[in-house]
């Protein structure tokens, strides 16, 4: 896939690249930047969790794992009102834009008030997500989550899950309201997210999938070994295999994490044309495990990257963590590059760009005529870029901490000198929200 044009003039109109002219020298009216790449899609975010980053790093009396982290998350969200959800999400979106993501798939499962009751407007919190996207300018793929149970087989939800819970009729109403809400945004789209096989029954899954109406379908799968064991006890099959056997998984689907798979599941998921939504920073933070990336790519599997818990927001950092986990596991270097003498950074970037666009329902991507003008420029005053060109820019950005300079989303420059133009106002609201939540 072509990426580097040399000297090129990009003409933008109505948020898109309308023309690319190579070998054209800049005129006095042109805006000049030394090197630019396309923005990336963040396939999996829980925006509100940015506010609890760092709050779960104290060891409990009996050790810690994903399930103890989840209890901390439940206690945090119990305190959030709609304005605080919007404020925290907006700062997360600012940071995504500053760190290389120009579109986010918001896996939005916070629907009810702190008592577990419906708001007067069933789409209250979905509309807060839309407002955060509107204020920051990030592209939004809204993924309302259906969540009805605490474990496989339709177990009753727990008290900590009361803010997530819907029945199928309520969820259909939520989807309809959310479709109207995203109409306020440029090129926003919507899908559905049955939370996991723990949280939906087989019948509910079928109902929820029909509400996607051709849009993306995202689901957590096989993130934890306990989840795999519980699924086998319930159904006799592992989560990924159950989905492939029962859910008509295809190119609209994104299986988030899919960490624990057998060789047969790896090849079958790759063949399904679905995307594996990988969140290596969160997966490391939660102790989930290591996705079998090399084996999956060898089967021509598609991947996207996401920030999930938003404990640390950094597109390059997600790609770096993905490669480094494989290095630690295999005791080798440049594990995820396809061929000798190729750039690991370039291969990772291309895979995440294409897979992320598919996962979020974007038919076009990259810097090409007709594509949305989602662009990142490098800060070439950063010493890590000195003497670099072509794919070595990507390697310096991903593996050496290279800085971004400007970010354009749909042709609007939203980040200048590494800082979002609305950061101060959004940061002040975020600070006030956290002071109130954590007092």
């Amino acid at each position: 896939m072509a990426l580097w044009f040399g000297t090129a003039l990009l003409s933008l109109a109505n948020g898109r690249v309308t023309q690319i002219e190579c070998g054209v020298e800049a005129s006095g009216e042109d805006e000049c930047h030394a090197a630019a790449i396309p923005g990336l899609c963040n396939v999996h975010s829980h925006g509100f969790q940015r506010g609890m980053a760092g709050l779960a790093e104290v060891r409990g009396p009996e050790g810690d794992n994903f399930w103890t982290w989840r209890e901390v998350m439940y206690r945090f969200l119990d305190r959030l009102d709609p304005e605080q959800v919007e404020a925290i999400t907006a700062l997360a979106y600012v940071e995504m834009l500053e760190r290389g993501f120009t579109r986010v798939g918001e896996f939005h499962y916070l629907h009810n008030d702190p008592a577990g009751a419906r708001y007067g407007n069933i789409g209250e919190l979905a509309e807060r997500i839309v407002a955060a996207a509107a204020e920051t300018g990030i592209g939004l793929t809204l993924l309302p989550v259906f969540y009805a149970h605490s474990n496989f087989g339709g177990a009753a939800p727990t008290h900590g899950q009361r803010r997530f819970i819907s029945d199928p009729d309520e969820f259909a109403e939520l989807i309809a309201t959310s479709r109207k809400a995203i109409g306020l945004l440029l090129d926003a789209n919507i899908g559905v997210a049955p939370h996991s096989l723990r949280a939906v029954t087989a019948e509910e899954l079928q109902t929820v999938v029909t509400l996607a109406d051709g849009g993306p379908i995202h689901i957590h799968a096989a993130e934890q070994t306990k989840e795999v064991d519980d699924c086998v006890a319930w159904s006799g099959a592992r989560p990924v295999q159950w989905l492939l056997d029962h859910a008509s998984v295809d190119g609209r689907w994104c299986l988030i994490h899919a960490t624990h798979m057998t060789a047969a599941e790896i090849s079958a998921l790759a063949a399904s044309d679905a995307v594996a939504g990988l969140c290596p920073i969160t997966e490391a933070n939660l102790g989930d495990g290591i996705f079998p990336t090399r084996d999956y790519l060898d089967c021509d599997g598609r991947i996207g990257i996401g920030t999930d818990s938003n404990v640390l927001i950094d597109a390059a950092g997600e790609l770096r963590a993905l490669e480094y986990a494989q290095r630690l596991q295999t005791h080798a270097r440049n594990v995820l590059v396809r061929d000798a003498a190729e750039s690991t950074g370039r291969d990772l970037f291309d895979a995440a760009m294409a897979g992320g666009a598919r996962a979020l329902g974007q038919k076009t991507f990259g810097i090409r005529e007709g594509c949305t003008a989602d662009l990142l420029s490098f800060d070439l005053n950063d010493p890590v870029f000195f003497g670099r060109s072509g794919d070595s820019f990507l390697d310096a950005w991903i593996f050496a901490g290279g800085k971004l300079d400007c970010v354009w989303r749909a042709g609007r420059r939203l980040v200048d000198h590494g800082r979002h133009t609305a950061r101060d106002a959004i940061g002040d609201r975020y600070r006030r929200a956290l002071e109130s939540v954590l007092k």
Side-chain angles (χ1 to χ4, degrees), residues 43 254-258 269 274-278 291 296 302-305:
V43 303
C254 181
L255 271 60
I256 304 300
H257 306 303
L269 181 60
V275 175
L278 309 181
F291 181 81
Y296 186 68
R302 301 174 185 271
I303 63 169
I305 57 168

Side-chain angles (χ1 to χ4, degrees), residues 41-44 103-106 139 141 143 189 216 218 355-362:
C41 289
N42 179 350
V43 303
H44 190 63
R103 175 173 286 272
V104 59
E106 184 61 34
T141 297
L143 300 164
N189 64 329
H218 287 218
R358 173 178 285 262
L360 298 190
Q362 305 303 294

Side-chain angles (χ1 to χ4, degrees), residues 255-276:
L255 271 60
I256 304 300
H257 306 303
T259 308
H260 302 286
M261 292 191 289
T262 64
E265 287 175 306
I266 290 169
S267 60
L269 181 60
S272 75
D273 222 18
V275 175

Side-chain angles (χ1 to χ4, degrees), residues 162-224:
R162 65 193 182 281
R163 300 200 69 176
F164 313 153
I165 302 304
S166 301
D167 65 34
D169 290 339
E170 290 171 330
F171 188 70
E173 183 183 353
L174 174 63
I175 290 291
T177 301
S178 298
R179 285 190 192 281
K180 293 178 182 177
I182 65 167
L184 301 174
L185 300 176
L186 174 69
D187 74 2
N189 64 329
I190 190 169
V192 297
H195 179 272
S196 60
L197 290 178
R198 301 192 314 272
V200 303
T201 64
E203 294 77 14
E204 289 164 345
L205 179 63
Q206 289 183 329
T207 300
V208 168
V209 166
T210 64
L211 297 173
D213 194 24
I217 303 164
H218 287 218
I219 187 170
H220 292 124
E223 179 179 4
Q224 288 282 321

Side-chain angles (χ1 to χ4, degrees), residues 111-130:
H111 304 314
N112 303 329
D113 71 16
R118 286 292 179 204
Y119 288 99
N121 169 15
I122 197 169
E124 171 72 34
L125 294 179
E127 291 176 5
R128 297 292 181 158
I129 301 301
V130 170

Side-chain angles (χ1 to χ4, degrees), residues 365-400:
F365 54 89
I367 304 177
R368 292 181 289 181
E369 292 180 358
C371 288
T372 304
D374 291 354
L375 310 170
L376 319 174
S377 69
F378 294 124
D379 177 3
L380 295 193
N381 291 317
D382 186 335
V384 303
F385 292 123
F386 291 175
R388 307 302 200 272
S389 63
D391 290 348
S392 66
F393 279 129
L394 290 172
D395 290 328
W397 179 50
I398 293 168
F399 295 107

